[in-house]
Amino acid sequence: MDHYDVIVIGCGASGYNTAIRASQLGFSVACVERGANVGGTGIRTGCMPSRLLLHTSEIYELTSKGTNAAFGIHDAATLDLAQMMAYKTATVERMSKTVHQLLRKHGVTLIYGNAQLAGAGTVIVGKTGGVTQMLCGTDIVIATGSEPTPLTLAPFDHRLILDSADALALERVPRHLAIVGAGAVGVEVGTIWRRLGARVTLIESRDRICHWLDRDVSAALARSLMHQGLDIRLSTDVVGVDRHIAGVGLQLRANDSPALTTLEVERVVVAIGRRPSTAGLNLASVGAQLESAGALPHPGSLFVCHGVWVVGDAAAGPMLMSKAEEEAIACAERIAGLPGFVNDSTIPYVLYTSPEVAVIGKTEAQLQATGATYKVGYCPLAVNARATITGTSEGFVKLLVDAQTSLIAGAHLVGPGAADLVSQVSVAMEASMICEDFARVCHPYPAWSEALRQAAMAAGGWMMHA
């Protein structure tokens, strides 16, 4: 039996970051990965492939639709989807290789196979050919990530009924693509294939897309997506699925009507959410109890029981790579007896759509639910000098400021560079910077970040550019 101070099960973002930080703190570490390569959903089948295709599809759209004609740039583009996918695959493999190198650099032992707990401190790894390897560890970290949730009435067949990974690896542009679920995955996948020429229909059971967003943000994003040509069906459920030679027939029922309608599409992407990938770990052997959704609960400490910890998508809470890394660092430090912590209120959430969306902290609805008094600082991007240069008219920065403390309670950004700008708000929130001080920070000109300053000024009643 091989002994390690820390055994990490799963080598995605939460797993390899836990392993690396634990090694830095002087522990002997093994990381067990059940997939064919390291990186997890974030690098191999989710975040990175999606961002790559959003980037390349945006370039294609800009050059193929005469978008630059106003600048005196006339061009025409042709789509080589096979080359685009090859670029994506090569980049993903390069990133997986980087994770390998980092693990090796920090002395982490990488073991491939399916891990299963066998009581406190013991892990059995099943390998190909029926071979097993037994590991003994003082602390065990569950970092097994998550998996797409299927439709009950139409399981994934990876041909007509696709999951998010399938949707990022299509060999040709579908004629008509239906996406069930208009959350983060749905709107990003829909954006990619609409840009590349597909007809896209988003089907959402709730009354708005990306329902967790501030309502102003959700509405702005929906308007933009519809302007780009996406068909959005809200308050609509899929009640029947008929697979046939030509594609898929979806039976739909709108919440305000008993009548059924049929939508004929070539393929269907199911993006109704993800669930923790914790099945088969034999967690009962250490007395761990799963929540109904399959997540491992923890009282804010990441500690489960009997030397078992949980991080990333397997833990309760938002499924974000940024959260996974934060929890990974905190978990390793807590194992070492250090005060590792995760500030959930300053973890940003980004959608790489067009326009980009970035949020952090509370929404107006959340503040209203608690009875908190707050001020709103709002700056439309149209008044920004950089927006004038690029011809951008949509988007805004919206800051929510606690009226009692003047601390920033939340920020909601729509527009170019939102993913980068939100980090400035994160720093301000972590540093407990009052909004007046945030408004005094000088920015270069012309820059998107000036909109942050103007929004902070607006919260104080002295916005200067509008």
Side-chain angles (χ1 to χ4, degrees):
M1 183 184 295
D2 299 316
H3 181 273
Y4 297 90
D5 297 325
V6 179
I7 300 171
V8 182
I9 302 177
C11 202
S14 60
Y16 65 73
N17 280 301
T18 302
I20 289 170
R21 185 65 183 126
S23 179
Q24 289 176 333
L25 293 169
F27 294 115
S28 60
V29 184
C31 195
V32 184
E33 172 56 43
R34 65 188 169 194
N37 210 335
V38 299
T41 297
I43 287 180
R44 298 200 61 81
T45 61
C47 297
M48 283 307 302
S50 176
R51 304 304 176 267
L52 282 161
L53 291 178
L54 283 161
H55 173 65
T56 53
S57 65
E58 182 179 32
I59 294 173
Y60 172 71
E61 182 179 54
L62 289 173
T63 54
S64 65
K65 292 187 175 181
T67 309
N68 297 319
F71 305 127
I73 302 171
H74 301 278
D75 43 31
T78 56
L79 175 64
D80 186 341
L81 185 61
Q83 178 58 36
M84 187 179 287
M85 291 296 177
Y87 172 76
K88 178 207 71 173
T89 300
T91 305
V92 165
E93 294 305 325
R94 187 164 66 249
M95 294 193 70
S96 285
K97 184 178 180 181
T98 298
V99 174
H100 268 288
Q101 293 170 341
L102 288 171
L103 293 172
R104 191 181 308 116
K105 172 186 175 182
H106 290 281
V108 176
T109 300
L110 179 60
I111 300 169
Y112 284 100
N114 289 300
Q116 186 179 75
L117 299 180
T122 304
V123 175
I124 298 175
V125 182
K127 302 183 176 183
T128 55
V131 177
T132 61
Q133 180 179 357
M134 186 169 290
L135 309 177
C136 180
T138 305
D139 289 277
I140 298 171
V141 181
I142 307 299
T144 48
S146 62
E147 61 194 26
T149 302
L151 275 176
T152 304
L153 50 80
F156 297 118
D157 61 18
H158 308 291
R159 186 178 63 87
L160 296 176
I161 310 299
L162 312 178
D163 64 19
S164 53
D166 300 325
L168 298 173
L170 297 179
E171 296 179 350
R172 61 181 179 83
V173 178
R175 181 182 66 261
H176 188 179
L177 185 68
I179 302 176
V180 183
V185 173
V187 296
E188 289 190 347
V189 169
T191 295
I192 291 167
W193 290 109
R194 182 68 193 95
R195 286 171 175 172
L196 296 180
R199 177 185 171 192
V200 176
T201 300
L202 286 173
I203 302 166
E204 173 56 52
S205 62
R206 294 181 174 86
D207 64 353
R208 61 191 178 108
I209 67 171
C210 301
H211 66 94
W212 67 92
L213 294 175
D214 185 273
R215 283 194 172 271
D216 288 345
V217 175
S218 180
L221 180 59
R223 285 194 302 271
S224 180
L225 293 177
M226 288 188 288
H227 180 72
Q228 293 167 44
L230 281 80
D231 177 21
I232 301 177
R233 311 279 185 96
L234 298 176
S235 301
T236 300
D237 293 315
V238 177
V239 296
V241 177
D242 176 30
R243 297 178 179 89
H244 47 74
I245 295 176
V248 183
L250 295 178
Q251 289 186 325
L252 307 178
R253 177 186 288 126
N255 291 354
D256 59 356
S257 171
L260 296 181
T261 59
T262 299
L263 180 68
E264 292 290 341
V265 299
E266 185 174 343
R267 288 178 170 178
V268 178
V269 178
V270 177
I272 57 175
R274 299 182 66 85
R275 60 189 182 190
S277 185
T278 50
L281 291 173
N282 193 27
L283 292 164
S285 69
V286 293
Q289 299 294 321
L290 295 174
E291 292 182 343
S292 58
L296 274 166
H298 59 85
S301 65
L302 306 176
F303 181 74
V304 180
C305 62
H306 303 299
V308 175
W309 305 72
V310 61
V311 291
D313 287 3
M319 295 182 177
L320 303 170
M321 282 191 75
S322 49
K323 167 182 170 284
E325 183 174 333
E326 283 293 283
E327 291 181 344
I329 295 169
C331 181
E333 292 179 350
R334 285 174 178 170
I335 290 173
L338 299 174
F341 67 94
V342 177
N343 186 352
D344 291 322
S345 66
T346 58
I347 295 176
Y349 198 125
V350 174
L351 299 177
Y352 291 90
T353 47
S354 179
E356 281 186 0
V357 171
V359 301
I360 189 170
K362 303 292 187 182
T363 65
E364 283 202 72
Q366 289 170 330
L367 290 173
Q368 291 166 2
T370 63
T373 55
Y374 63 93
K375 296 179 289 183
V376 178
Y378 184 91
C379 175
L381 283 190
V383 305
N384 180 269
R386 184 70 175 273
T388 302
I389 292 171
T390 61
T392 301
S393 58
E394 63 180 352
F396 58 84
V397 172
K398 178 180 177 180
L399 297 182
L400 305 178
V401 181
D402 187 293
Q404 303 301 316
T405 65
S406 293
L407 295 175
I408 299 172
H412 307 274
L413 294 75
V414 179
D420 297 312
L421 295 182
V422 76
S423 296
Q424 294 191 31
V425 184
S426 180
V427 171
M429 292 174 70
E430 282 283 5
S432 298
M433 182 184 293
I434 63 171
C435 189
E436 177 70 17
D437 288 343
F438 193 52
R440 300 286 176 175
V441 175
C442 184
H443 297 265
Y445 178 89
W448 295 115
S449 62
E450 291 180 280
L452 290 173
R453 185 180 198 185
Q454 291 297 316
M457 289 176 175
W462 58 289
M463 182 177 177
M464 298 173 63
H465 290 176

